[in-house]
Amino acid sequence: MSRILLTGAAGFIGHHVTAALLARGEQVLGVDNLNDYYDVSLKQARMARLQTLPGYQGFNFAQLDLRDAEKTAAMFAQYQPELVIHLAAQAGVRHSLQAPLSYVDNNLLAFTNILEGCRHGSIKHLVYASSSSVYGGNTKLPFSEQNVVDHPVSLYAATKKANELMAHTYSHLYQFPTTGLRFFTVYGPWGRPDMSPFLFADAILNGRAIKVFNHGKMLRDFTYIDDIVQGVLKVLDKPATPLTSTAPYRIFNIGNSQPAPLLDFIALLEQHLGKTAPKEFLPMQAGDVPATYADTAALEAWVGFRPQTPLASGLQRFCDWYQDYYATTQPQLAHA
Ligand SMILES: NC(=O)c1ccc[n+]([C@@H]2O[C@H](COP(=O)([O-])OP(=O)(O)OC[C@H]3O[C@@H](n4cnc5c(N)ncnc54)[C@H](O)[C@@H]3O)[C@@H](O)[C@H]2O)c1
């Protein structure tokens, strides 16, 4: 049993990772500032759900803004985590065109505060969220960790790549292991209202047109949340060792490796929800990429695991949850 600090605990991925850690009997301090980038009541409902799950007695929560260097340092000093899972961030590619400073503050400044906390503590391993978006304008598929990622096409992607560089620096200077996970479009129950499964489900159920960007010529490597959780836990349990430099530093893709055409994805949602929606075909959006496709050989070689939930069964579980959760209320799709 370890003392684990998990940031972004009220978020989509953080919630599920917290639940899995508690189920295996860990002590977890969850941190989140519960910001209103999207519906705060969904974040609160995720937190409330934890109370009903096995292992909840191992959980503590601190509402804290990681942009605050002093408070973050005090939290590290008081809790003295051995393992850190940093998932808090300003997420969302499209929103980064509207609110760039939020990405600088929450993804660069807050991450520096996390690295400083790790530097001054006795950290055995820091695992943090990067993103498939770092591959940006790369055209070689599937995306491999060995590819150069110097072509971000959104500030969000640039902050995630910067996080990887910053983590390497701290791993080198202070010799604590860091592992960055490049998540590929994560979906599932308790998901994020600004992401396509939510937006499309809402449009389908309410008879509104679905906005189909790049005229539908998009491929997305949708990755089911339970696979992401398993991957995070397996990686957490195996601290990074040096590979491409002398620093104990690793980067892994974590994706389904089965990219789906956008129109197939929409058709599956329509099938599960028992309704179809009109489509509005639109050009590519700024900041977006036409295809994502994860090469997960490195992850599999490292921890013997790769995501494998088929899209059809993962989406079925998402739709079941969505219809149950929003049976009596309408989702708030802020920042759509
Ligand atoms: N969901 C995906 O498909 C996906 C894909 C690639 C990468 N990621 C990354 O994975 C991580 C988790 O994503 P998610 O989908 O769960 O997003 P999310 O927005 O649901 O969760 C992030 C949480 O972090 C909290 N947070 C943000 N800034 C904070 C701050 N300054 N201090 C404290 N808390 C703060 C938010 O309140 C939120 O609850 C993020 O780093 C995201 O960039 C997600």
Side-chain angles (χ1 to χ4, degrees):
M1 199 172 71
S2 310
R3 293 163 64 79
I4 302 174
L5 166 66
L6 186 144
T7 73
F12 169 36
I13 300 174
H15 166 69
H16 287 282
V17 175
T18 301
L21 289 168
L22 295 176
R24 73 177 202 184
E26 306 283 6
Q27 290 289 321
V28 180
L29 176 66
V31 165
D32 203 296
N33 66 353
L34 299 174
N35 70 44
D36 65 357
Y37 167 59
Y38 61 78
D39 185 7
V40 179
S41 74
L42 177 59
K43 296 183 181 182
Q44 286 162 340
R46 293 181 185 129
M47 299 296 296
R49 175 176 176 258
L50 285 181
Q51 296 177 28
T52 66
L53 299 179
Y56 180 70
Q57 66 281 2
F59 185 67
N60 283 292
F61 178 68
Q63 186 166 350
L64 172 73
D65 194 325
L66 297 164
R67 293 173 294 184
D68 187 323
E70 255 176 52
K71 286 191 178 145
T72 303
M75 178 270 293
F76 267 90
Q78 195 190 345
Y79 187 64
Q80 307 222 337
E82 296 157 293
L83 299 171
V84 178
I85 304 175
H86 177 58
L87 302 172
Q90 175 60 62
V93 166
R94 291 168 191 168
H95 187 60
S96 70
L97 278 73
Q98 269 86 55
L101 285 182
S102 178
Y103 291 76
V104 172
D105 290 350
N106 291 299
N107 298 4
L108 301 180
L109 176 60
F111 191 54
T112 309
N113 292 336
I114 290 290
L115 290 169
E116 280 291 299
C118 293
R119 166 193 176 180
H120 294 293
S122 330
I123 298 297
K124 292 186 192 146
H125 196 189
L126 163 66
V127 176
Y128 61 95
S130 183
S131 162
S132 61
S133 66
V134 300
Y135 291 103
N138 284 18
T139 49
K140 186 170 176 283
L141 294 171
F143 294 148
S144 156
E145 297 89 342
Q146 287 162 24
N147 300 154
V148 173
V149 284
D150 283 344
H151 311 109
V153 296
S154 68
L155 187 67
Y156 169 68
T159 63
K160 289 292 176 179
K161 171 62 186 167
N163 286 170
E164 295 179 358
L165 297 171
M166 293 156 74
H168 182 273
T169 308
Y170 273 70
S171 285
H172 168 77
L173 289 173
Y174 308 112
Q175 288 299 310
F176 62 85
T178 63
T179 302
L181 294 175
R182 293 177 179 167
F183 297 143
F184 281 65
T185 319
V186 189
Y187 74 98
W190 300 95
R192 255 177 42 211
D194 62 328
M195 292 185 67
S196 57
F198 252 78
L199 301 175
F200 294 172
D202 182 64
I204 293 166
L205 291 171
N206 291 296
R208 280 188 285 102
I210 293 181
K211 290 182 177 160
V212 183
F213 292 101
N214 203 28
H215 304 282
K217 279 180 251 132
M218 301 266 259
L219 276 180
R220 276 291 173 279
D221 203 353
F222 291 101
T223 311
Y224 190 62
I225 183 66
D226 291 4
D227 288 329
I228 294 288
V229 170
Q230 270 208 63
V232 171
L233 263 55
K234 284 185 182 293
V235 163
L236 180 72
D237 293 340
K238 188 167 176 184
T241 54
L243 178 68
T244 48
S245 71
T246 54
Y249 163 88
R250 297 275 175 144
I251 295 290
F252 295 106
N253 288 338
I254 172 159
N256 211 38
S257 303
Q258 289 184 14
L262 189 57
L263 291 173
D264 290 6
F265 171 74
I266 294 171
L268 277 173
L269 271 174
E270 289 177 330
Q271 194 183 313
H272 292 319
L273 294 170
K275 270 184 164 188
T276 56
K279 321 283 178 300
E280 186 185 351
F281 290 94
L282 296 165
M284 186 77 166
Q285 292 207 109
D288 240 342
V289 298
T292 64
Y293 178 1
D295 176 339
T296 50
L299 179 75
E300 196 167 8
W302 183 243
V303 292
F305 168 79
R306 64 182 185 82
Q308 41 207 334
T309 304
L311 186 58
S313 50
L315 274 183
Q316 178 73 66
R317 279 176 257 167
F318 166 74
C319 290
D320 290 348
W321 169 80
Y322 185 95
Q323 285 181 296
D324 184 47
Y325 187 76
Y326 291 112
T328 51
T329 54
Q330 283 292 311
Q332 292 174 37
L333 303 174
H335 300 292

